[in-house]
Amino acid sequence: HVVESGGGSVHPGGSLTLSCTASGLTLDYYAIAWFRQAPGKEREGVSCVSSTGGSSDGAADYAAFVKGRFTISRDSAKNIVYLQMNNLQSEDTAVYYCAVGPWSSWSADNYDYWGQGTQVTVST
């Protein structure tokens, strides 16, 4: 059971931090990805991070359109994965989904567990 939280409405240039938590799953053992879907658009990958302790050991990757603005991180003690989003722009408006899977990938098909999504709205 994956749950996202932290969405909301902000002005352009603002920041939000999304959280992803899961019951029954130790997130450190899994790759985590954030996807988003804007109205009328296809779902797209935003960021992904590999599981900890493996050969990739928590390596993170970002889509080009968020690189330098978004940061994915883990809090192992709390079993939470965050997506810190800075300098948000109107084009970042979307429903953001957390996905949990066996390895880090930009393919949504890789992920076995999904949250219900959290709305992020950026407007003046």
mmCIF file with all atom_site columns, all heavy atoms in Angstrom, residues 33 35 103-111 114:
data_model
loop_
_atom_site.group_PDB
_atom_site.id
_atom_site.type_symbol
_atom_site.label_atom_id
_atom_site.label_alt_id
_atom_site.label_comp_id
_atom_site.label_asym_id
_atom_site.label_entity_id
_atom_site.label_seq_id
_atom_site.pdbx_PDB_ins_code
_atom_site.Cartn_x
_atom_site.Cartn_y
_atom_site.Cartn_z
_atom_site.occupancy
_atom_site.B_iso_or_equiv
_atom_site.pdbx_formal_charge
_atom_site.auth_seq_id
_atom_site.auth_comp_id
_atom_site.auth_asym_id
_atom_site.auth_atom_id
_atom_site.pdbx_PDB_model_num
ATOM 1   N N   . ALA A 1 33  ? 10.414 5.290  -8.025  1.00 0.00 ? 33  ALA A N   1
ATOM 2   C CA  . ALA A 1 33  ? 10.343 6.305  -9.081  1.00 0.00 ? 33  ALA A CA  1
ATOM 3   C C   . ALA A 1 33  ? 9.175  7.230  -8.828  1.00 0.00 ? 33  ALA A C   1
ATOM 4   O O   . ALA A 1 33  ? 8.170  6.850  -8.222  1.00 0.00 ? 33  ALA A O   1
ATOM 5   C CB  . ALA A 1 33  ? 10.191 5.644  -10.451 1.00 0.00 ? 33  ALA A CB  1
ATOM 6   N N   . PHE A 1 35  ? 6.602  9.453  -11.081 1.00 0.00 ? 35  PHE A N   1
ATOM 7   C CA  . PHE A 1 35  ? 6.049  9.749  -12.384 1.00 0.00 ? 35  PHE A CA  1
ATOM 8   C C   . PHE A 1 35  ? 5.033  10.887 -12.213 1.00 0.00 ? 35  PHE A C   1
ATOM 9   O O   . PHE A 1 35  ? 4.557  11.146 -11.110 1.00 0.00 ? 35  PHE A O   1
ATOM 10  C CB  . PHE A 1 35  ? 5.335  8.524  -12.963 1.00 0.00 ? 35  PHE A CB  1
ATOM 11  C CG  . PHE A 1 35  ? 6.258  7.427  -13.390 1.00 0.00 ? 35  PHE A CG  1
ATOM 12  C CD1 . PHE A 1 35  ? 6.767  6.519  -12.462 1.00 0.00 ? 35  PHE A CD1 1
ATOM 13  C CD2 . PHE A 1 35  ? 6.630  7.282  -14.716 1.00 0.00 ? 35  PHE A CD2 1
ATOM 14  C CE1 . PHE A 1 35  ? 7.616  5.498  -12.845 1.00 0.00 ? 35  PHE A CE1 1
ATOM 15  C CE2 . PHE A 1 35  ? 7.482  6.262  -15.112 1.00 0.00 ? 35  PHE A CE2 1
ATOM 16  C CZ  . PHE A 1 35  ? 7.979  5.366  -14.175 1.00 0.00 ? 35  PHE A CZ  1
ATOM 17  N N   . TRP A 1 103 ? 13.914 -2.734 -9.728  1.00 0.00 ? 103 TRP A N   1
ATOM 18  C CA  . TRP A 1 103 ? 15.119 -2.020 -10.139 1.00 0.00 ? 103 TRP A CA  1
ATOM 19  C C   . TRP A 1 103 ? 14.745 -0.691 -10.734 1.00 0.00 ? 103 TRP A C   1
ATOM 20  O O   . TRP A 1 103 ? 13.599 -0.476 -11.156 1.00 0.00 ? 103 TRP A O   1
ATOM 21  C CB  . TRP A 1 103 ? 15.962 -2.854 -11.116 1.00 0.00 ? 103 TRP A CB  1
ATOM 22  C CG  . TRP A 1 103 ? 15.235 -3.300 -12.321 1.00 0.00 ? 103 TRP A CG  1
ATOM 23  C CD1 . TRP A 1 103 ? 14.939 -2.576 -13.434 1.00 0.00 ? 103 TRP A CD1 1
ATOM 24  C CD2 . TRP A 1 103 ? 14.670 -4.598 -12.554 1.00 0.00 ? 103 TRP A CD2 1
ATOM 25  N NE1 . TRP A 1 103 ? 14.238 -3.344 -14.333 1.00 0.00 ? 103 TRP A NE1 1
ATOM 26  C CE2 . TRP A 1 103 ? 14.056 -4.569 -13.825 1.00 0.00 ? 103 TRP A CE2 1
ATOM 27  C CE3 . TRP A 1 103 ? 14.643 -5.784 -11.811 1.00 0.00 ? 103 TRP A CE3 1
ATOM 28  C CZ2 . TRP A 1 103 ? 13.419 -5.690 -14.357 1.00 0.00 ? 103 TRP A CZ2 1
ATOM 29  C CZ3 . TRP A 1 103 ? 14.018 -6.878 -12.344 1.00 0.00 ? 103 TRP A CZ3 1
ATOM 30  C CH2 . TRP A 1 103 ? 13.404 -6.819 -13.599 1.00 0.00 ? 103 TRP A CH2 1
ATOM 31  N N   . SER A 1 104 ? 15.722 0.206  -10.762 1.00 0.00 ? 104 SER A N   1
ATOM 32  C CA  . SER A 1 104 ? 15.473 1.564  -11.238 1.00 0.00 ? 104 SER A CA  1
ATOM 33  C C   . SER A 1 104 ? 15.324 1.573  -12.755 1.00 0.00 ? 104 SER A C   1
ATOM 34  O O   . SER A 1 104 ? 16.157 1.046  -13.488 1.00 0.00 ? 104 SER A O   1
ATOM 35  C CB  . SER A 1 104 ? 16.647 2.455  -10.816 1.00 0.00 ? 104 SER A CB  1
ATOM 36  O OG  . SER A 1 104 ? 16.376 3.799  -11.125 1.00 0.00 ? 104 SER A OG  1
ATOM 37  N N   . SER A 1 105 ? 14.253 2.166  -13.205 1.00 0.00 ? 105 SER A N   1
ATOM 38  C CA  . SER A 1 105 ? 13.938 2.166  -14.628 1.00 0.00 ? 105 SER A CA  1
ATOM 39  C C   . SER A 1 105 ? 13.006 3.317  -14.923 1.00 0.00 ? 105 SER A C   1
ATOM 40  O O   . SER A 1 105 ? 12.229 3.749  -14.072 1.00 0.00 ? 105 SER A O   1
ATOM 41  C CB  . SER A 1 105 ? 13.272 0.837  -14.998 1.00 0.00 ? 105 SER A CB  1
ATOM 42  O OG  . SER A 1 105 ? 12.730 0.884  -16.305 1.00 0.00 ? 105 SER A OG  1
ATOM 43  N N   . TRP A 1 106 ? 13.055 3.796  -16.169 1.00 0.00 ? 106 TRP A N   1
ATOM 44  C CA  . TRP A 1 106 ? 12.111 4.804  -16.602 1.00 0.00 ? 106 TRP A CA  1
ATOM 45  C C   . TRP A 1 106 ? 10.825 4.175  -17.131 1.00 0.00 ? 106 TRP A C   1
ATOM 46  O O   . TRP A 1 106 ? 9.892  4.880  -17.478 1.00 0.00 ? 106 TRP A O   1
ATOM 47  C CB  . TRP A 1 106 ? 12.728 5.693  -17.681 1.00 0.00 ? 106 TRP A CB  1
ATOM 48  C CG  . TRP A 1 106 ? 13.805 6.580  -17.165 1.00 0.00 ? 106 TRP A CG  1
ATOM 49  C CD1 . TRP A 1 106 ? 15.138 6.521  -17.445 1.00 0.00 ? 106 TRP A CD1 1
ATOM 50  C CD2 . TRP A 1 106 ? 13.652 7.674  -16.240 1.00 0.00 ? 106 TRP A CD2 1
ATOM 51  N NE1 . TRP A 1 106 ? 15.813 7.508  -16.782 1.00 0.00 ? 106 TRP A NE1 1
ATOM 52  C CE2 . TRP A 1 106 ? 14.921 8.230  -16.028 1.00 0.00 ? 106 TRP A CE2 1
ATOM 53  C CE3 . TRP A 1 106 ? 12.546 8.245  -15.587 1.00 0.00 ? 106 TRP A CE3 1
ATOM 54  C CZ2 . TRP A 1 106 ? 15.135 9.325  -15.191 1.00 0.00 ? 106 TRP A CZ2 1
ATOM 55  C CZ3 . TRP A 1 106 ? 12.761 9.339  -14.739 1.00 0.00 ? 106 TRP A CZ3 1
ATOM 56  C CH2 . TRP A 1 106 ? 14.033 9.860  -14.556 1.00 0.00 ? 106 TRP A CH2 1
ATOM 57  N N   . SER A 1 107 ? 10.801 2.858  -17.213 1.00 0.00 ? 107 SER A N   1
ATOM 58  C CA  . SER A 1 107 ? 9.611  2.180  -17.703 1.00 0.00 ? 107 SER A CA  1
ATOM 59  C C   . SER A 1 107 ? 8.620  1.948  -16.577 1.00 0.00 ? 107 SER A C   1
ATOM 60  O O   . SER A 1 107 ? 8.929  1.278  -15.586 1.00 0.00 ? 107 SER A O   1
ATOM 61  C CB  . SER A 1 107 ? 9.986  0.833  -18.323 1.00 0.00 ? 107 SER A CB  1
ATOM 62  O OG  . SER A 1 107 ? 8.819  0.092  -18.641 1.00 0.00 ? 107 SER A OG  1
ATOM 63  N N   . ALA A 1 108 ? 7.421  2.445  -16.751 1.00 0.00 ? 108 ALA A N   1
ATOM 64  C CA  . ALA A 1 108 ? 6.384  2.261  -15.740 1.00 0.00 ? 108 ALA A CA  1
ATOM 65  C C   . ALA A 1 108 ? 6.062  0.788  -15.522 1.00 0.00 ? 108 ALA A C   1
ATOM 66  O O   . ALA A 1 108 ? 5.663  0.384  -14.429 1.00 0.00 ? 108 ALA A O   1
ATOM 67  C CB  . ALA A 1 108 ? 5.130  3.029  -16.132 1.00 0.00 ? 108 ALA A CB  1
ATOM 68  N N   . ASP A 1 109 ? 6.243  -0.008 -16.557 1.00 0.00 ? 109 ASP A N   1
ATOM 69  C CA  . ASP A 1 109 ? 5.927  -1.432 -16.450 1.00 0.00 ? 109 ASP A CA  1
ATOM 70  C C   . ASP A 1 109 ? 6.819  -2.149 -15.440 1.00 0.00 ? 109 ASP A C   1
ATOM 71  O O   . ASP A 1 109 ? 6.482  -3.244 -14.989 1.00 0.00 ? 109 ASP A O   1
ATOM 72  C CB  . ASP A 1 109 ? 6.069  -2.105 -17.811 1.00 0.00 ? 109 ASP A CB  1
ATOM 73  C CG  . ASP A 1 109 ? 4.999  -1.667 -18.795 1.00 0.00 ? 109 ASP A CG  1
ATOM 74  O OD1 . ASP A 1 109 ? 3.967  -1.129 -18.328 1.00 0.00 ? 109 ASP A OD1 1
ATOM 75  O OD2 . ASP A 1 109 ? 5.195  -1.836 -20.003 1.00 0.00 ? 109 ASP A OD2 1
ATOM 76  N N   . ASN A 1 110 ? 7.932  -1.538 -15.086 1.00 0.00 ? 110 ASN A N   1
ATOM 77  C CA  . ASN A 1 110 ? 8.860  -2.144 -14.136 1.00 0.00 ? 110 ASN A CA  1
ATOM 78  C C   . ASN A 1 110 ? 8.321  -2.137 -12.714 1.00 0.00 ? 110 ASN A C   1
ATOM 79  O O   . ASN A 1 110 ? 8.772  -2.897 -11.869 1.00 0.00 ? 110 ASN A O   1
ATOM 80  C CB  . ASN A 1 110 ? 10.176 -1.375 -14.172 1.00 0.00 ? 110 ASN A CB  1
ATOM 81  C CG  . ASN A 1 110 ? 11.166 -1.813 -13.126 1.00 0.00 ? 110 ASN A CG  1
ATOM 82  O OD1 . ASN A 1 110 ? 11.671 -2.922 -13.144 1.00 0.00 ? 110 ASN A OD1 1
ATOM 83  N ND2 . ASN A 1 110 ? 11.430 -0.929 -12.166 1.00 0.00 ? 110 ASN A ND2 1
ATOM 84  N N   . TYR A 1 111 ? 7.388  -1.261 -12.450 1.00 0.00 ? 111 TYR A N   1
ATOM 85  C CA  . TYR A 1 111 ? 6.990  -1.002 -11.068 1.00 0.00 ? 111 TYR A CA  1
ATOM 86  C C   . TYR A 1 111 ? 5.712  -1.761 -10.710 1.00 0.00 ? 111 TYR A C   1
ATOM 87  O O   . TYR A 1 111 ? 4.725  -1.732 -11.448 1.00 0.00 ? 111 TYR A O   1
ATOM 88  C CB  . TYR A 1 111 ? 6.839  0.503  -10.852 1.00 0.00 ? 111 TYR A CB  1
ATOM 89  C CG  . TYR A 1 111 ? 8.170  1.201  -11.036 1.00 0.00 ? 111 TYR A CG  1
ATOM 90  C CD1 . TYR A 1 111 ? 8.525  1.739  -12.264 1.00 0.00 ? 111 TYR A CD1 1
ATOM 91  C CD2 . TYR A 1 111 ? 9.091  1.259  -9.989  1.00 0.00 ? 111 TYR A CD2 1
ATOM 92  C CE1 . TYR A 1 111 ? 9.766  2.336  -12.447 1.00 0.00 ? 111 TYR A CE1 1
ATOM 93  C CE2 . TYR A 1 111 ? 10.338 1.852  -10.169 1.00 0.00 ? 111 TYR A CE2 1
ATOM 94  C CZ  . TYR A 1 111 ? 10.656 2.381  -11.408 1.00 0.00 ? 111 TYR A CZ  1
ATOM 95  O OH  . TYR A 1 111 ? 11.884 2.963  -11.579 1.00 0.00 ? 111 TYR A OH  1
ATOM 96  N N   . TRP A 1 114 ? 1.967  1.073  -6.862  1.00 0.00 ? 114 TRP A N   1
ATOM 97  C CA  . TRP A 1 114 ? 1.732  2.482  -7.192  1.00 0.00 ? 114 TRP A CA  1
ATOM 98  C C   . TRP A 1 114 ? 0.842  3.116  -6.129  1.00 0.00 ? 114 TRP A C   1
ATOM 99  O O   . TRP A 1 114 ? -0.078 2.473  -5.598  1.00 0.00 ? 114 TRP A O   1
ATOM 100 C CB  . TRP A 1 114 ? 1.037  2.607  -8.541  1.00 0.00 ? 114 TRP A CB  1
ATOM 101 C CG  . TRP A 1 114 ? 1.907  2.234  -9.701  1.00 0.00 ? 114 TRP A CG  1
ATOM 102 C CD1 . TRP A 1 114 ? 2.235  0.986  -10.134 1.00 0.00 ? 114 TRP A CD1 1
ATOM 103 C CD2 . TRP A 1 114 ? 2.565  3.140  -10.586 1.00 0.00 ? 114 TRP A CD2 1
ATOM 104 N NE1 . TRP A 1 114 ? 3.058  1.045  -11.230 1.00 0.00 ? 114 TRP A NE1 1
ATOM 105 C CE2 . TRP A 1 114 ? 3.271  2.365  -11.542 1.00 0.00 ? 114 TRP A CE2 1
ATOM 106 C CE3 . TRP A 1 114 ? 2.624  4.527  -10.688 1.00 0.00 ? 114 TRP A CE3 1
ATOM 107 C CZ2 . TRP A 1 114 ? 4.027  2.934  -12.557 1.00 0.00 ? 114 TRP A CZ2 1
ATOM 108 C CZ3 . TRP A 1 114 ? 3.362  5.090  -11.706 1.00 0.00 ? 114 TRP A CZ3 1
ATOM 109 C CH2 . TRP A 1 114 ? 4.062  4.304  -12.628 1.00 0.00 ? 114 TRP A CH2 1
#
